[in-house]
Amino acid sequence: MGESKLAGQFFDAAIGLLQEVRDGDSAEIAAAGAAVAEAVANGNRLFAFGAGHSSLPAQDVVYRAGGFALMNLLAVPGVVGVDVMPATLGSALERVDGLAGAVLDSSPAAAGDVLFIISLSGRNALPVEMAMNARALGLTVVGVTSVAYATETKSRHVSGTYLKDHCDIVLDSRIAVGDAELTHEGIEAPFAPASTVVTSALMQATMAAAAEELVRRGIEPPLLRSGNVDGGHEWNGRVMSEYKDRIFYRH
């Protein structure tokens, strides 16, 4: 069989978006990386939150080889992935008022910590409320979203605002409304979403910027190694012991 034309078109679209965010978000990525480094240096904690498929880039920076050991997932019951049954319940919970506040109040997140809130549309009650409450608690909020949704859709939060309106730093994924890069004759709906690829790249680029800033300050970044390479378990045991008061996914 020959190569797929549509597969190649998706790669082209994803590469184009990656170039856009690399160039267009460079200052914001550096600022978010500096915020992470500041929290690490000052003894504060790191959290990432995303609902539905936006949880994938959040999970991508938690407890993984090459990642920061003290990045924690701020989980909201029922919205982290498609494992909730029925899967449609997760989408419904994103629109429930009060849920984000309850989760934050019962979490270890506190003033001085950094919270990444990932929401492609940024229009649902959950991410908006999460950002508003987190800033009120004194957290630094980094929103990872597509700003285009704020001009082309209506907010579902009572305030009429979007995630981007309640963040200290906004990383714009530049994903078009609808999150589908391809169309094709004979196929009724657009398809091939690229938000996960681009948003994960934004998160990993930010963590790289944070590592760079920590080294500039003379601080060893608290990184995990792969457990599948010799010495990895020993390395990770040392790092987790050193930072155990800021790691919550082991409890």
Side-chain angles (χ1 to χ4, degrees), residues 2-244:
E3 61 185 52
S4 166
K5 178 181 177 182
L6 289 177
Q9 287 180 0
F10 175 76
F11 279 115
D12 289 342
I15 290 166
L17 284 163
L18 288 170
Q19 289 175 329
E20 277 190 56
V21 297
R22 180 194 64 190
D23 298 337
D25 287 16
S26 59
E28 290 78 12
I29 291 168
V36 168
E38 183 77 10
V40 172
N42 290 342
N44 296 112
R45 290 78 61 83
L46 307 173
F47 297 91
F49 163 77
H53 287 94
S54 288
S55 74
L56 296 175
Q59 295 179 61
D60 194 43
V61 292
V62 176
Y63 183 53
R64 67 166 306 155
F68 277 48
L70 48 82
M71 176 64 83
N72 301 278
L73 184 68
L74 186 66
V76 177
V79 306
V80 173
V82 294
D83 57 334
V84 62
M85 294 299 288
T88 50
L89 176 61
S91 298
L93 288 173
E94 288 186 60
R95 304 176 191 181
V96 173
D97 293 326
L99 182 57
V103 168
L104 270 176
D105 288 344
S106 59
S107 80
D113 295 346
V114 174
L115 171 61
F116 287 84
I117 301 178
I118 304 168
S119 173
L120 178 60
S121 72
R123 68 189 293 227
N124 287 313
L126 189 56
V128 174
E129 181 187 326
M130 182 79 74
M132 294 173 75
N133 286 27
R135 288 183 89 186
L137 289 171
L139 278 76
T140 296
V141 176
V142 181
V144 191
T145 186
S146 172
V147 172
Y149 275 81
T151 60
E152 299 181 40
T153 67
K154 184 178 179 180
S155 171
R156 291 187 176 127
H157 188 258
V158 64
S159 68
T161 61
Y162 298 78
L163 169 60
K164 73 173 185 64
D165 299 317
H166 305 285
C167 300
D168 297 286
I169 302 163
V170 175
L171 304 180
D172 184 2
S173 64
R174 292 167 161 75
I175 298 293
V177 173
D179 193 18
E181 294 301 317
L182 302 182
T183 57
H184 189 67
E185 186 178 353
I187 300 176
E188 291 294 325
F191 56 99
S195 60
T196 305
V197 173
V198 175
T199 307
S200 289
L202 276 168
M203 293 297 295
Q204 295 294 351
T206 297
M207 302 315 292
E212 182 179 14
E213 175 61 18
L214 284 168
V215 170
R216 191 187 68 78
R217 296 179 179 211
I219 300 171
E220 175 74 19
L223 296 170
L224 295 172
R225 289 181 180 269
S226 171
N228 296 315
V229 299
D230 292 341
H233 285 297
E234 293 76 13
W235 171 283
N236 292 343
R238 178 182 62 79
V239 172
M240 287 190 173
S241 177
E242 182 178 347
Y243 290 97
K244 63 176 185 265

